[in-house]
Amino acid sequence: MSALSLLYLRSRALPVTAAALAGVVLVAAWSADWLQDRPHFDHTARAPVIVLAPLLAAAAIGTALHSHAEELDRTAARRWWPRLVLHLVVATALAAGALAAAVPGHPEAFGAPAMVRNVLGSTGVTVASAALLGARPSWLPMTVYGSAVYLAAPDGPDRAAALWAWPLQPGPEAGAWAVAVAAYGAGAALLAVRGPGRSR
C-alpha cells in the first residue's frame, strides 16, 4: 500500500469507522434475534432493525468522509475523488454484507435483501448530504427522513408507498429497490463531483 493511501486512510479515521460498523452489526444481529424470538412475534418484527441499522451504518460511512484539511484535499496535485469513491464503495459493500448476515432467513420479507437495499439507499442519501452540507452533519437528513417514514408508512401493500417509504418495504419490492439504487448512484456522483462539503 502506498504512503498516499495510508495517509488517506488515517485522515478518514478508518479504525474508528470500522469499529462503529462492527458495533452496529453486532447490535443488529442481537436485536433481530431477540425480536424474532418474542412471543407472538415473527420475522416481520425485525422491521425496526431493517430501518435503524442501515441508518447507523450510513452515519458512520458519511462522517468518515470528513477531512481535517479540506483546502489541502482541494488543491492536491492528485485528485482525491477516486479514493473517495473507492472508500464509499468498499465501506458500503462491507456494511451491506455484514448487516445482511445479521438477519438471516425470510428473504421475502424483512431479511437480507431488505437490509442490503436499505444500506444502499441510506448511504446514498447520507453521502449526498455530505456533498451538500458537509460530512459531519450528513447523518441528519436520512435520520429525519427514516424516522418520518417509520411513523407514517402504511401497514399494508401500497405501490405509491414503495417509492416514498422504501425503507419499510419487503425485500423483493422492485420500486423500493429502484429508489434505493438511484439514491446511492446520485450520492456517489455528487461525492465524485463536489467532494465532501465544507462543515461549518
Side-chain angles (χ1 to χ4, degrees):
M1 187 177 289
S2 71
L4 190 58
S5 297
L6 285 172
L7 176 63
Y8 176 83
L9 294 176
R10 286 185 61 192
S11 72
R12 305 295 171 177
L14 179 67
V16 175
T17 304
L21 289 175
V24 169
V25 170
L26 291 174
V27 171
W30 177 83
S31 301
D33 183 61
W34 183 82
L35 284 170
Q36 189 170 326
D37 289 343
R38 295 301 91 200
H40 311 296
F41 277 36
D42 59 13
H43 60 277
T44 60
R46 300 185 296 187
V49 178
I50 296 294
V51 174
L52 184 58
L55 285 178
L56 296 174
I61 293 169
T63 53
L65 297 172
H66 174 72
S67 173
H68 295 283
E70 292 172 350
E71 292 303 323
L72 290 177
D73 285 358
R74 295 177 193 281
T75 58
R78 290 187 180 181
R79 307 254 333 187
W80 284 90
W81 74 263
R83 286 178 183 80
L84 281 172
V85 173
L86 180 63
H87 171 173
L88 171 65
V89 170
V90 170
T92 305
L94 290 174
L99 284 172
V103 286
H106 304 289
E108 74 284 355
F110 297 104
M115 186 67 89
V116 171
R117 180 201 63 218
N118 286 358
V119 169
L120 288 174
S122 297
T123 304
V125 173
T126 301
V127 169
S129 301
L132 298 173
L133 304 175
R136 286 189 170 162
S138 64
W139 58 273
L140 189 56
M142 186 60 210
T143 301
V144 171
Y145 178 73
S147 302
V149 165
Y150 188 77
L151 295 173
D155 290 334
D158 184 337
R159 285 192 178 185
L163 301 179
W164 66 267
W166 54 267
L168 269 174
Q169 299 303 304
E173 180 60 52
W177 271 96
V179 174
V181 170
Y184 188 75
L190 271 172
L191 182 68
V193 171
R194 294 176 55 98
R198 298 184 181 186
S199 300
R200 290 179 172 79

